[in-house]
Amino acid sequence: MRTSTTYDVELPDFLHRLRTASKEVDPNELSRFLPPEDDPGVRGSAVLILLADGNDAHGNDVHGNGPDVLLTERAWTLRSHAGQMSFPGGRVDPEDGTGVEGLIRTALREAEEETGLDPTGVDVFAVWPSLWVPVSNFAVSPVLGWWREPSPVAVVDPAEVASVHRVSIEALSDPANRISCLHPSGFTGPAFTVGDLYIWGFTAGLLDKLLTLGGWARDWDPTHVVPLPDRLVEAAWRSEGRRPEDVRRLTAIEHDLGRPEGVE
């Protein structure tokens, strides 16, 4: 999937600019890693970038005020990306179907399985081009949704998800919460610290692009470099079980999205 797809659904004002920008988003602006078209081994997957207006009547965990985005903390016992903050999502199953509609079904199904959200309250308004994760050979398609009718969300399976959060756009765009993550391998990339949450890697890169395309980005200091917390470093080494050169390559790919200019 090389181009984006948008849908003409009714959206609140704060999402109009994002939908307009999503109509012609250049995949090369999202990442320099794009799925090879001639590799039948590439596995399809989708993540749900779910945005709400910030009004919550279900007692969900909301960090900050105003419009927010749904994030999950991956279980610390997983073999891959343990403990990392992420968007709900996962691999395309055969029953999800094919094409863009199959990707949408995947994102909504995975979000329901991970957080318990009611997918009938979600209006999908865009699907961005797929991004490639060479290490696992996954083509990841970001599915953007308007949470028209927020429902209760919580951990469904502790073996998959450690916690569920709604984080405000205001908090993510606050320069005080923006840093460059430094991994022991030497790679850096955009990251966010909101309360006790440390958001880095693939998810942080997509959030960085989301803020820009939505018109919410504010100037921040990419030279403010903060090392990856020990707990996340240890989880990466323990769960991946990879050789140092493999971890270095993996981290380079994760951090490619939205790497600030002037930071290597």
Side-chain angles (χ1 to χ4, degrees):
M1 179 181 166
R2 296 294 192 184
T3 60
S4 58
T5 301
T6 56
Y7 296 87
D8 187 19
V9 297
E10 185 175 353
L11 295 176
D13 290 345
F14 82 93
L15 288 176
H16 287 175
R17 180 169 175 175
L18 178 60
R19 175 166 59 185
T20 299
S22 295
K23 290 179 180 179
E24 297 181 355
V25 64
D26 184 347
N28 292 291
E29 294 180 1
L30 298 176
S31 174
R32 62 189 177 93
F33 292 101
L34 303 180
E37 296 180 340
D38 56 352
D39 184 356
V42 175
R43 297 175 289 179
S45 66
V47 295
L48 180 65
I49 302 180
L50 184 60
L51 298 130
D53 62 11
N55 295 320
D56 182 77
H58 300 286
N60 292 322
D61 180 13
V62 182
H63 299 264
N65 301 310
D68 59 68
V69 62
L70 182 66
L71 296 174
T72 63
E73 177 189 18
R74 291 172 59 83
W76 290 79
T77 53
L78 290 173
R79 294 186 64 254
S80 178
H81 312 299
Q84 289 190 22
M85 299 300 299
S86 64
F87 298 106
R91 182 185 306 184
V92 175
D93 284 348
E95 58 267 27
D96 294 327
T98 60
V100 175
E101 295 303 318
L103 295 171
I104 293 173
R105 281 190 287 271
T106 297
L108 293 175
R109 173 183 56 76
E110 287 283 347
E112 182 178 14
E113 292 175 359
E114 293 178 6
T115 71
L117 75 81
D118 181 358
T120 62
V122 176
D123 290 335
V124 171
F125 63 91
V127 180
W128 285 351
S130 297
L131 309 176
W132 189 36
V133 182
V135 169
S136 56
N137 207 18
F138 270 110
V140 184
S141 298
V143 175
L144 280 63
W146 154 236
W147 208 355
R148 172 177 38 81
E149 296 182 7
S151 52
V153 288
V155 174
V156 175
D157 183 359
E160 296 289 335
V161 175
S163 61
V164 178
H165 305 269
R166 290 174 59 175
V167 182
S168 73
I169 297 298
E170 179 185 64
L172 292 169
S173 62
D174 186 343
N177 295 333
R178 300 216 56 180
I179 61 172
S180 291
C181 168
L182 173 64
H183 190 276
S185 62
F187 287 96
T188 59
F192 302 81
T193 54
V194 180
D196 294 331
L197 305 181
Y198 191 102
I199 308 167
W200 69 292
F202 185 84
T203 301
L206 279 181
L207 285 172
D208 179 76
K209 299 303 183 184
L210 181 75
L211 294 178
T212 299
L213 294 174
W216 306 305
R218 298 166 59 186
D219 291 338
W220 61 287
D221 182 9
T223 66
H224 180 204
V225 179
V226 177
L228 188 66
D230 289 345
R231 67 184 188 279
L232 288 169
V233 175
E234 293 169 359
W237 284 102
R238 182 182 65 253
S239 64
E240 294 293 343
R242 299 178 184 272
R243 299 186 304 274
E245 59 268 28
D246 292 331
V247 173
R248 182 179 177 86
R249 179 167 174 259
L250 173 66
T251 307
I253 293 165
E254 287 182 332
H255 280 181
D256 180 72
L257 284 109
R259 182 176 299 167
E261 293 183 5
V263 177
E264 299 298 330

